[in-house]
């Protein structure tokens, strides 16, 4: 066996023994500070070199003087290596602590601000991820506050709208019971109207709860927009006559869509009823359906006079009913929220914008496959 191979074998044996011992130590201190781990790694490297050198020196029978020289050189290297490892470990630990303090701030409801000063590539990547997480948490908190405000507003509106018909029903029932009703049939008709109003409100709440719970079951079928819009116009024609509003549906393309006919009829009905109630007498409500690069666009245009720009983003929120001047005499602000929920369940989207003299509500649906 050549001397070079023998030296390599002895050096490898000494270094391997040291490496195994170092691995065991690292396993034992794996929960300790990074500084200690770096110091152990540096010590393993130096001691491995020393062990290999001593093994070769013993095999080659070096003199005591030569062995002392080699050991002194390795010892100096060990001191420098350990000092460097300790400095590096303390620097990394300090950056880690600063990062932990910054992360704790956004965990308590604040915004994450990355600590100043240089950091390793891994810590910089971690800072970027924490900043992105902080932004997502801020958006989530904002949505939660908006939903809570919407919930409170909805509860207030529902409480008010339920109390009014219930009070009327109680008064009319007491009048009938006491025999003081001048026209019992009129009272009975009015009671039926109030009961239907309450039934509609409860139905809207049930529909909205299904939408929010994700349990709205759709049965898509291929339907022509012409038929869908025609049925919706026929359904709201009596209400339009009552309010003195003209209905216009001249721009209806016979475009096929894959939708749940019942739910989409409810969407169009809610939009049309909303537009009729907010359009003054002798005004016009127009509905159109046409193709677009995004799919199929259904639009309802009214003459309500427009919606304040600051209210436009909230139009489809649950419980929103606008300013008191534009609040209709009935309804709990659920119609447009139901519209958005049904449309989004069809993979579509809703929108609203002001036009001269009124506003235009749009529903964009995916076009049916040819």
């Amino acid at each position: 066996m050549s001397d070079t191979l023998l030296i390599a074998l002895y050096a490898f044996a000494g270094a391997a023994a040291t490496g195994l011992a170092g691995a065991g130590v690292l396993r034992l201190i794996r929960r300790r500070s990074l500084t200690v781990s770096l110091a152990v790694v540096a010590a393993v490297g130096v001691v491995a070199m020393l062990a290999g050198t001593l093994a070769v020196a013993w095999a080659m029978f070096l003199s005591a003087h030569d062995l002392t020289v080699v050991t002194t050189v390795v010892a100096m290297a060990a001191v420098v290596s350990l000092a460097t490892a300790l400095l590096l470990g303390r620097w990394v630990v300090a950056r880690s602590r600063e990062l932990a303090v910054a992360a704790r701030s956004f965990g308590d409801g604040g915004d994450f601000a990355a600590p100043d000063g240089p950091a390793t590539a891994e810590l910089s990547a971690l800072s970027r991820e924490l900043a992105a997480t902080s932004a997502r948490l801020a958006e989530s908190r904002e949505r939660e506050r908006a939903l809570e405000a919407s919930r409170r507003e909805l509860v207030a509106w529902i409480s008010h709208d339920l109390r009014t018909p219930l009070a009327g029903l109680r008064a009319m029932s007491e009048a009938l019971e006491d025999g003081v009703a001048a026209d019992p049939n009129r009272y009975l008709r009015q009671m039926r109207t109030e009961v239907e109003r309450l039934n509609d409100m409860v139905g809207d709440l049930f529909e909205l709860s299904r939408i929010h719970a994700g349990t709205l079951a759709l049965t898509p079928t291929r339907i022509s927009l012409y038929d869908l819009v025609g049925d919706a116009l026929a359904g709201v024609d009596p209400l339009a006559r009552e309010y003195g509003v003209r209905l216009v549906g001249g721009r209806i393309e016979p475009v096929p869509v894959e939708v749940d006919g019942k739910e989409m009829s409810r969407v169009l009905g809610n939009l049309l009823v909303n537009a009729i109630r907010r359009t003054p007498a002798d005004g016009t409500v127009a509905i159109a359906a046409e193709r677009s690069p995004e799919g199929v666009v259904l639009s309802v245009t009214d003459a309500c006079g427009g919606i304040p720009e600051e209210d436009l983003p909230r139009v489809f929120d649950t419980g929103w009913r606008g300013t008191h001047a534009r609040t209709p005499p009935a309804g709990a602000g659920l119609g447009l929220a139901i519209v958005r929920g049904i449309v989004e369940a069809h993979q579509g989207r809703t929108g609203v914008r002001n036009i001269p003299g009124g506003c235009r509500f749009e529903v964009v649906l995916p076009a049916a496959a040819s």
Side-chain angles (χ1 to χ4, degrees):
M1 184 179 294
S2 64
D3 292 342
T4 302
L5 181 58
L6 184 62
I7 291 172
L9 289 175
Y10 275 103
F12 176 77
T18 305
L20 290 174
V25 173
L26 287 175
R27 180 175 178 81
L28 292 176
I29 63 170
R30 61 185 181 275
R31 299 183 185 277
R32 300 291 298 276
S33 171
L34 180 63
T35 303
V36 178
S37 298
L38 287 175
V40 171
V41 171
V44 166
V46 175
V47 173
M49 182 176 63
L50 178 61
T53 303
L54 292 177
V56 172
W58 175 80
M60 300 298 293
F61 300 104
L62 294 179
S63 65
H65 177 268
D66 293 340
L67 185 59
T68 301
V69 170
V70 171
T71 304
T72 303
V73 172
V74 172
M76 293 302 99
V79 171
V80 173
S81 298
L82 288 174
T84 303
L86 290 174
L87 289 175
L88 176 61
R90 289 175 62 86
W91 179 78
V92 172
V93 169
R95 298 286 83 76
S96 299
R97 287 175 178 170
E98 292 174 358
L99 197 59
V101 171
R104 191 178 303 118
S105 67
F106 87 81
D108 294 335
D111 294 328
F112 175 78
D116 297 329
T120 63
E122 291 79 8
L123 291 179
S124 296
L126 181 58
S127 295
R128 290 191 295 271
E129 289 297 326
L130 288 174
T133 302
S134 175
R136 289 193 294 270
L137 283 175
E139 293 175 0
S140 178
R141 285 193 293 267
E142 186 63 29
R143 286 195 302 269
E144 184 178 352
R145 283 192 290 266
L147 288 173
E148 179 62 19
S150 176
R151 186 190 65 82
R152 292 177 181 272
E153 186 179 25
L154 174 62
V155 170
W157 282 117
I158 288 294
S159 300
H160 175 270
D161 286 350
L162 286 177
R163 187 181 297 113
T164 301
L166 286 175
L169 287 170
R170 180 177 180 178
M172 287 183 285
S173 64
E174 289 177 351
L176 290 172
E177 183 179 3
D178 296 338
V180 297
D183 187 355
N185 290 330
R186 184 174 67 84
Y187 274 59
L188 291 173
R189 288 193 298 270
Q190 184 63 30
M191 291 176 68
R192 180 180 178 85
T193 300
E194 295 297 338
V195 169
E196 289 178 351
R197 178 183 171 190
L198 288 173
N199 183 68
D200 290 341
M201 293 175 61
V202 172
D204 286 346
L205 284 172
F206 179 69
E207 183 81 358
L208 196 63
S209 68
R210 288 199 303 163
I211 291 171
H212 287 172
T215 59
L216 181 64
L218 300 177
T219 308
T221 56
R222 193 179 183 88
I223 304 174
S224 171
L225 281 182
Y226 189 86
D227 297 333
L228 196 64
V229 172
D231 293 342
L233 288 174
V236 299
D237 184 65
L239 182 67
R241 292 178 182 274
E242 178 184 347
Y243 278 76
V245 174
R246 294 187 301 274
L247 292 177
V248 177
R251 294 167 46 206
I252 309 297
E253 296 185 19
V255 183
V257 287
E258 292 280 347
V259 296
D260 186 305
K262 178 182 177 182
E263 298 296 340
M264 197 52 59
S265 295
R266 182 162 194 168
V267 166
L268 293 179
N270 285 359
L271 290 176
L272 288 169
V273 168
N274 182 72
I276 291 170
R277 285 177 173 167
R278 285 175 163 80
T279 297
D282 296 330
T284 299
V285 171
I287 183 169
E290 53 194 350
R291 296 179 185 271
S292 78
E294 299 176 335
V296 178
V297 178
L298 284 164
S299 63
V300 175
T301 305
D302 60 35
C304 66
I307 300 174
E309 292 295 329
E310 63 272 16
D311 285 343
L312 283 176
R314 296 195 57 208
V315 167
F316 291 96
D317 288 352
T318 301
W320 184 88
R321 299 202 292 188
T323 60
H324 292 290
R326 298 179 66 255
T327 300
L334 305 181
L336 293 179
I338 291 173
V339 165
R340 181 174 62 180
I342 294 175
V343 171
E344 290 180 352
H346 284 85
Q347 308 303 316
R349 62 178 178 83
T350 55
V352 60
R353 57 187 173 88
N354 286 323
I355 60 173
C359 55
R360 174 186 172 98
F361 287 83
E362 292 184 347
V363 171
V364 181
L365 297 171
S370 301

